[in-house]
Amino acid sequence: ESKYNFKTVEAKWQNFWEENGFYIVTEDKTKPKYYDLEMFPYPSGNLHMGHVRNYAIGDVVARFKTMNGYNVLHPMGWDAFGLPAENAAIKHGIHPSIWTDSNIENMKRQLKSLGISYDWTREFATCKPEYYRFTQWLFLKLYENGLAYKKKAAVNWCPSCATVLANEQVVDGDCERCGTRVEKKSLEQWFFKITDYAERLLNDLDKLPGWPEKVKIMQKNWIGRSEGCEFSLAIDGSAETVSVFTTRPDTVFGITYMVLAPEHPLVEKLTRDTPYQQAVDEFIHRMKFLNEIDRTSTETEKEGVFAGAYAVNPVNGEKVPIWIANYVLMEYGTGAIMAVPAHDQRDFEFARKYGLPVRVVIEPEGMSLDPDVMTAAYEGGGVMVNSGQFDGLGNEDGKQKVIEWMEDRGIGRRAVNYRLRDWLISRQRYWGAPIPIVYCDNCGPQSVPYEQLPVMLPLNVEFRPTGESPLTYVDEFVNTECPSCGGPAKRETDTMDTFVCSSWYYFRYCSPHVQDRPWDKEAVDYWMPVDQYIGGVEHAILHLMYSRFFTKVLYDLGLVSCEEPFTNLLTQGMVLKDGAKMSKSKGNTVSPEDIINTYGADTARLFILFASPPEKDLEWSDQGVEGCYRFLNRVWRLVAEYSNQVRGVEAYGGGSNLSAADRELRYRTHFTIKKVTEDIEKRFNFNTAISAIMELVNALYQYKDNEHQNLAVVKEALKALVLVLSPFSPHIAEELWEAIGGEGSVHQQQWPKYDEEALVKDEIEIVVQINGKVRERAMVPSGAGPDEMKTVAMSLDRIQEMLAGKTVRKVIAVPGKLVNIVVN
Ligand code: ANZ
Ligand code: ZN
C-alpha cells in the first residue's frame, strides 16, 4: 500500500465506475443541467495526443461541474463515415464497416484506460443504420422545406481520390487529403441552401460571447458579407442587358471596360457566329481545367479575350468593350463586373496588360492622380472627380448618391452579397449515408417515405476508384420501386458529406435510444444547448458553421427550441514535439498508450493539463511527464504517512487554538481551494491550478516536520488536496480519498469551499538575527510595531539560550521583516 502502483489503482477505479454505472445520467429536473461536449473523433484506429488533450480538458470540466451540483451530460461517440475507411478497403480489401468497428473497439478501450467520465450508454456511431436513418430523415426535412436541391455544378474534383471536394477541402488548390492538384468538373450535385441563412449566421455571432473572438472572425470572413449595388447595363445594338455587382458605385464614372465570367450565359449569345467566337471558345476551353483558386489567386496572371461587343455605361452613355476573363467568377455576384482599373488592382493589371484605358474618378484629399504614370490602382477613399454631377462629393457619400440615382431611374438597387456558397453535400462514395431519393421516369425525383428509412447501405460492394459511387454498380441497391406510382425507379447513388452526420450528433446524445424519431424533444429541451464545447480550431469554420445552420433550420421547423447549439466554445491548441505539430507524417508522435502503460493515465492527464493553458500550443516534454509522475508519487507518500493518523479524525471546523504553523497551513489550504476554483471556472487555467496544488503539497511536507501536529488541520488540508486534485487525476484521487477515510467516491463529493477568514493573514513571519546572522524565525501580528517585535524576539527559547552569558548592546527592529540583536 505504501508504493504508488498506478496500474492496480487505475484498474480498480475504472472497474468501480463501470460496475456502478457511475457516469450514467438522466434528465434529472431537480438539478441544473450542464452539457459538456468534446468533438467526437473519427475512428482512425488509435488515439493520438491531440485526442488525449481534448478529452482530458473536457473531463476536468465534467468532474468539476458535477462536484458543483450540476447534472452533467458528458457523452462520447464516433464520427464514423468517411474516406479513410473506404481507402483502407481499396488498399487492403477490408470492408469499411469491419475496419471501422475494430478501430472503434480499440479507441474505446484506450479512452476507458484514460478514465474519462463518459456516459457510455449514450455512445453511437454515425455509420450505423440506427443513426444514419435519421441523417436521412433530416435530409428529407430539408428537402421538403426547399433547403436541399440538386443542380449541375462545377465542382472541385480530386483526380487521385476520385471524389468531389468541398471548397474548404481544397488547400491552396490542392486536395486536403492527398495533395493532388484539384480540377474542375461539372456534375449534378445535391446542395443544402445554407446561403438562405447567411444573414442570421452572421448576425447571431453577436449572441455568442462565450466563443473565442478569433473563431467568430473566421466565421465572419467565411460568410463574407459585402454591401454595394447591382445595376444593369444595356448592350450596344442588342436587346440584352447585363447586370453587375459592385461594392464601389462611387467609381461608376471610371468604368473603361466590362468583364463576363467565362461561364456567363451571355458569352455564347454575344459571340456566336461572330469573328470572335473561335478565340473565345479556345479561351473558355483552357479555363475549364483551372480551378477557382488558381483562377482568382492574386499571383495568377490575369487573362482574357475581347467578346466583340460593347456595353453602355448608364451614368454617362459611354460605350465600353466587353471582355471575358479568368478573374471573374460565375459563382459570385452576377458573374459579371464593371471594370474600374484606376481603383481596383485586378482591373488595373488587366488594363495595363491589354492596353485598356485607366480613368481616375477618386482622388485622395489634396492630391491628384495621373493615370499615365500610376503603377497600381488607388483603392482608398477620397473625393469624386471626372464624375459629372457627383464631382466634389466624398466617396462614401457618393456611393449612396449613385445608388439613389440608379434606384430613381430603375436601373439598379442596393444589394448585399455573401461569399458563403451553398453547401455541396453529394459525395460519389460508398461509406456515407445514402441520399434518400429515387428517380422515376414518370414522376421525377421522389423522397423515400419516412417509414421506409433507413435506405440501407448494401454490404456487398466492390471498391474501385472509378469516380462514380461504388453503389452505382450494385443492382439490388439501384433498382427499386417508385414510392409514388410503384413503377420501376432508380436510387440516388451519391452519399452525404460526413459533415452532415456531425451537424446534428449533439442532439442525438440527448436521447440516443429513441427509435421512431431522431430525438426526444423533451430530452433535447432539457439538455440543449451545449454549455461547453471543446475541440480543435481546425473546425472553426465548417463543422461549427454547418452545426449552427442545422440548429437554425431545426429551430425554424419547431423541432428544437434553441437557435444556437454551442453556448461556450473552447478551441484547444496543438500538441507539439520538438517545436512541430505531432503527426504521423513527421514521425514525431508519442503514443498515448505507451505513456499510459509507463506512467499511468493520471500522470498523462496531469502533464497535459499542467504543461500549458488549453488554448495555447503544448510542447511535449519527457521530463515534464517524469516530473508529474514524481509529483503524484510525492502526494501518495504524504497521504500514506498520514493516513493511519487522520482516518478517524474530523477535519478542522473552527474553535480550538491554532499555532502559527497551523494557521499557515490553513491559509495555504484555503488559498489553494480558491485558486483552483477560480482558475477552472473563469479561465480554464488548469496549469496554474495544478501549480497551486503542488504548493499545497509542499506546505504539507513542511508542516509534517513540525513537532506539534494538529491532525484536524492536517485532515482538512488533505481532504482539500484530494478533492481539488480529483478532476485532473481521478483515479489516484479515489484511492487517496479512501485512504484518509473519505466516504463514498471522491467524485461524488461537493467541491470544497474556501474560508475567507483563513485567507486573512493575521500574522507574518519575521527573522531574528544575532549580530546579523539569522538564528530563528517567529510569527508576529501583522501590524506589530518595533517594541512588540523586540519582546517576541527576546522571549524565544532558542534566542534566550544563545544569549546566555552575553551582553545585549542594541536591539534593532525593522517592522514586517526582522529583529537584529547586537551582542558583545
Ligand atoms: C467595381 C469596382 C471598382 C470594384 C473598384 C471594386 C473596386 P467583395 O468585396 O469581395 O464583395 N466582383 C464582383 N463580382 C465579381 C465576380 N463574380 N468575380 C470577381 N470579382 C467580382 O468584392 C466586390 C467587388 O469584386 C466588386 O466591386 C467587383 O469589383 C468585384 F474601385 O466593382 B467592384
Ligand atoms: Zn413514379
Side-chain angles (χ1 to χ4, degrees), residues 570 613-615 674-688:
L570 186 141
E615 301 208 271
K674 180 167 196 261
K675 176 91 178 130
V676 175
T677 308
E678 289 176 355
D679 280 350
I680 295 180
E681 208 152 50
K682 299 202 182 127
R683 298 170 287 269
F684 296 110
N685 275 345
F686 303 142
N687 54 329
T688 51

Side-chain angles (χ1 to χ4, degrees), residues 438-444 446 481-489:
V438 302
Y439 300 96
C440 167
D441 281 343
N442 294 323
C443 318
Q446 298 290 310
E481 263 175 27
C482 171
S484 181
C485 71

Side-chain angles (χ1 to χ4, degrees), residues 226 245-248 251 327 329 332 337-338 343-344 346:
S226 325
F245 171 71
T246 180
T247 47
R248 295 293 304 272
T251 65
Y327 72 99
L329 299 175
Y332 190 73
I337 65 156
M338 64 180 225
H343 304 292
D344 181 293
R346 296 160 300 179

